[in-house]
Amino acid sequence: MDLDLDGDTLREECGVFGILDHPDAAALTALGLHALQHRGQEAAGIVTYGEGQFHSERHLGLVGDHYTDAATLARLPGSAAMGHVRYSTTGETVLRNVQPLFAELSEGGIAIAHNGNFTNGLKLRRELIANGAICQSTSDTEVVLHLVARSPQKSSADRFVDAIKQMQGGYALVALTRTKLIGARDPNGIRPLVLGDLNGSPIFASESCALDIIGAKHVRDVENGEVVICERKADGAVTIESIKPFPPRPERVCLFEYVYFARPDSIVAGRQVYTTRKHMGMNLAKEAAVEADVVVPVPDGGTPAAIGYAQESGIPFELGIIRNHYVGRTFIEPTQQIRAFGVKLKHSANRAEIEGKRVVLVDDSIVRGTTSLKIVQMIREAGAKEVHLRVASPMITHSDYYGINTPDPEALLANQHADLQSMCKYVGADSLQFLSIDGLYDAVGGIPRNAQEPQFTDHCFTGDYPTPLVDLVEENGRSPKQLSMLREAG
Ligand code: 5GP
Ligand code: MG
């Protein structure tokens, strides 16, 4: 999480990668980050350790813009490396916030990169500053560095554990010291992190697709609440140790990883993301059937679900929208005005498959409704007879505070309208249906939602947050309950 100067929380989406004991550590990290680029497109950083010191390159822009030339990689020598891709929602796209963050501590240097948000980061940061800490960035990853620095523990691994025990929220963290590469997931396991292996070199990555690109083996997930410490010993041997510093609890991966965030070819918590998305589309077809001539995905996010919808309904699947691949995600554009414009840059209607037809339009999710509004209009202008919008996830009624870029609750389409009819009218469709929460659970887990024995976190759709939201409640003076009351009132 980032904090702007007024103390407001700025959310970010990220991906992390790390590798120990490989002669091409920096180049492999660049490749891994390239495969994780969908998790953050604004900035990328790599830190290595080699030749007796740490080296750092941090840049705004895409991985491919900076880390493909030999000169940059030559500035990142060493057989241990870690990196980060990042996308933040507001103006704080400044270099000082680009991760990994690095600090010299009494026992040697440490670099840390983080995917997720700390829900008590602001509180801890204020306490640290009140006690004399000097913060250089507005990123709360820096809070972890300070807590590591202040820990009374001796070894860097123990200090790291000491620090994360004070943090709440959703996180996948990777840290690099002179001899160790550490990976950690929060007690609920909200954000994913996998352990890989490339001929004996251990790897951490946000998603398994970052292992595939370098031909590494997917060993297992780092478990919720687990800290995995990979160490290169003096004799050159690499050891891997697992610590469980938190009381055990069920894993609760964020369902939004399956709905939208993760790449379809990744395996998240043992489930193939592509398959879960197709199932979401199949369940959507069962729940929200409509007579139509063609199923059209909103690319790329809606494509697997649209394939599932077409297979289940028997309605032909066609590419009725062509995506321009030379623009980034719509969300990259920081203002609502530019975002609205951005959709046109990204998608155009394929008139041949749309004119005179009854179209089922399938997207993965609706957040603000910007995409839907533009796409429905575009399909109509291309001559569709009817446009039926089908969304392969439930209505998003609550903001995320764990590393997914959803806006404040008031900006969510579902909160701006009293009912489905009103939303449908707003986006200009003939009909609008969302996947039910049970349909989503069935697609991902195969069993219905059980709030008593949670299998996932579904807070975006239900408001059932898996951790306390200390900063939100204390600092902004608004509890999620107040926020949802606000929603019900308006
Ligand atoms: P909307 O236009 O309704 O605000 O956003 C919905 C579109 O953005 C969908 O097509 C979906 O693929 C994409 N999207 C949904 N959630 C997120 C998110 O958390 N981050 C980003 N970057 N894009 C999202
Ligand atoms: Mg999309």
Side-chain angles (χ1 to χ4, degrees):
M1 186 204 305
D2 276 2
L3 316 169
D4 72 9
L5 296 176
D6 304 324
D8 286 340
T9 55
L10 319 179
R11 290 179 215 121
E12 55 187 352
E13 304 182 337
C14 306
V16 292
F17 185 94
I19 181 165
L20 187 69
D21 200 37
H22 196 288
D24 297 317
L28 292 169
T29 301
L31 286 167
L33 293 178
H34 175 64
L36 296 172
Q37 190 83 79
H38 60 287
R39 297 184 75 90
Q41 305 87 14
E42 269 185 356
I46 297 179
V47 167
T48 62
Y49 182 77
E51 300 171 355
Q53 66 184 82
F54 285 90
H55 311 268
S56 167
E57 286 277 328
R58 300 185 299 162
H59 297 278
L60 301 179
L62 299 175
V63 177
D65 294 341
H66 298 287
Y67 298 95
T68 43
D69 68 300
T72 309
L73 291 175
R75 291 195 297 273
L76 293 167
S79 59
M82 61 175 286
H84 187 260
V85 287
R86 170 179 192 267
Y87 162 60
S88 76
T89 52
T90 14
E92 279 293 84
T93 314
V94 290
L95 210 45
R96 67 195 168 100
N97 281 342
V98 177
Q99 301 186 32
L101 296 184
F102 173 79
E104 287 291 355
L105 308 181
S106 54
E107 84 281 17
I110 186 167
I112 294 186
H114 160 218
N115 167 214
N117 273 342
F118 298 116
T119 45
N120 64 343
L122 188 52
K123 182 169 186 271
L124 288 170
R125 183 188 175 82
R126 292 225 160 115
E127 287 167 7
L128 283 164
I129 290 174
N131 285 315
I134 297 166
C135 289
Q136 299 202 338
S137 77
T138 56
S139 157
D140 71 358
T141 310
E142 196 174 10
V143 171
V144 187
L145 278 180
H146 279 287
L147 295 176
V148 173
R150 280 160 196 245
S151 167
Q153 299 291 331
K154 269 232 131 47
S155 84
S156 52
D158 290 343
R159 285 164 169 250
F160 179 82
V161 168
D162 219 22
I164 63 169
K165 277 174 133 174
Q166 299 171 63
M167 313 295 305
Q168 295 173 349
Y171 54 83
L173 277 168
V174 174
L176 182 68
T177 71
R178 284 172 298 186
T179 57
K180 294 182 187 114
L181 179 71
I182 304 172
R185 263 175 99 200
D186 71 82
N188 290 297
I190 298 171
R191 297 269 76 85
L193 188 68
V194 297
L195 177 65
D197 174 276
L198 184 62
N199 305 321
S201 305
I203 299 169
F204 293 110
S206 288
E207 291 179 37
S208 60
C209 65
L211 303 175
D212 296 332
I213 191 175
I214 56 169
K217 203 172 85 196
H218 181 180
V219 177
R220 64 176 178 89
D221 289 318
V222 174
E223 287 175 28
N224 57 307
E226 185 185 20
V227 180
V228 178
I229 300 160
C230 309
E231 182 170 6
R232 189 170 35 199
K233 303 282 189 192
D235 64 1
V238 173
T239 59
I240 300 181
E241 188 197 351
S242 161
I243 302 177
K244 298 266 181 72
F246 302 98
R249 53 190 305 167
E251 181 181 45
R252 297 185 71 177
V253 180
C254 177
L255 278 177
F256 222 67
E257 293 282 347
Y258 296 104
V259 167
Y260 169 80
F261 205 19
R263 227 169 74 159
D265 56 334
S266 284
I267 297 168
V268 172
R271 298 169 195 90
Q272 179 68 57
V273 174
Y274 180 79
T275 313
T276 65
R277 283 188 194 156
K278 239 172 82 175
H279 272 134
M280 289 171 209
M282 289 174 165
N283 289 351
L284 186 60
K286 288 181 200 155
E287 292 179 5
V290 60
E291 240 183 75
D293 304 307
V294 64
V295 174
V296 168
V298 180
D300 291 326
T303 304
I307 291 172
Y309 193 104
Q311 286 181 3
E312 179 65 32
S313 65
I315 303 169
F317 172 95
E318 297 292 352
L319 297 178
I321 298 170
I322 303 303
R323 156 118 191 242
N324 185 326
H325 283 272
Y326 304 97
V327 289
R329 283 186 177 184
T330 318
F331 262 62
I332 298 173
E333 317 300 346
T335 69
Q336 182 71 14
Q337 202 183 359
I338 297 174
R339 201 178 289 121
F341 181 60
V343 177
K344 275 192 202 153
L345 293 178
K346 193 166 148 186
H347 296 119
S348 50
N350 182 11
R351 187 174 273 273
E353 290 299 338
I354 286 172
E355 199 160 16
K357 294 195 178 155
R358 296 168 300 173
V359 176
V360 183
L361 202 55
V362 181
D363 204 355
D364 58 275
S365 57
I366 293 184
V367 183
R368 296 176 182 81
T370 318
T371 307
S372 312
L373 182 70
K374 289 279 153 195
I375 297 268
V376 170
Q377 187 187 346
M378 194 178 79
I379 297 292
R380 286 211 189 279
E381 282 167 6
K385 213 156 72 186
E386 293 170 18
V387 185
H388 302 278
L389 182 58
R390 294 292 178 270
V391 184
S393 58
M395 276 188 213
I396 298 176
T397 50
H398 290 75
S399 297
D400 181 86
Y401 302 101
Y402 306 105
I404 299 247
N405 165 31
T406 47
D408 284 339
E410 308 88 79
L412 297 167
L413 184 76
N415 293 342
Q416 294 183 331
H417 297 268
D419 52 31
L420 200 59
Q421 282 71 27
S422 165
M423 288 170 77
C424 180
K425 197 169 160 218
Y426 172 80
V427 300
D430 293 289
S431 75
L432 168 66
Q433 294 284 328
F434 291 81
L435 182 64
S436 70
I437 190 85
D438 284 339
L440 176 60
Y441 268 76
D442 178 80
V444 177
I447 55 173
R449 180 176 199 267
N450 178 348
Q452 271 65 54
E453 281 171 48
Q455 306 161 260
F456 301 104
T457 178
D458 54 21
H459 51 273
C460 295
F461 313 114
T462 62
D464 174 15
Y465 291 97
T467 71
L469 299 175
V470 173
D471 287 345
L472 187 79
V473 174
E474 289 194 7
E475 304 290 336
N476 294 348
R478 296 184 300 190
S479 70
K481 196 164 161 231
Q482 284 173 313
L483 293 172
S484 70
M485 274 159 58
L486 213 80
R487 178 176 75 81
E488 274 148 31

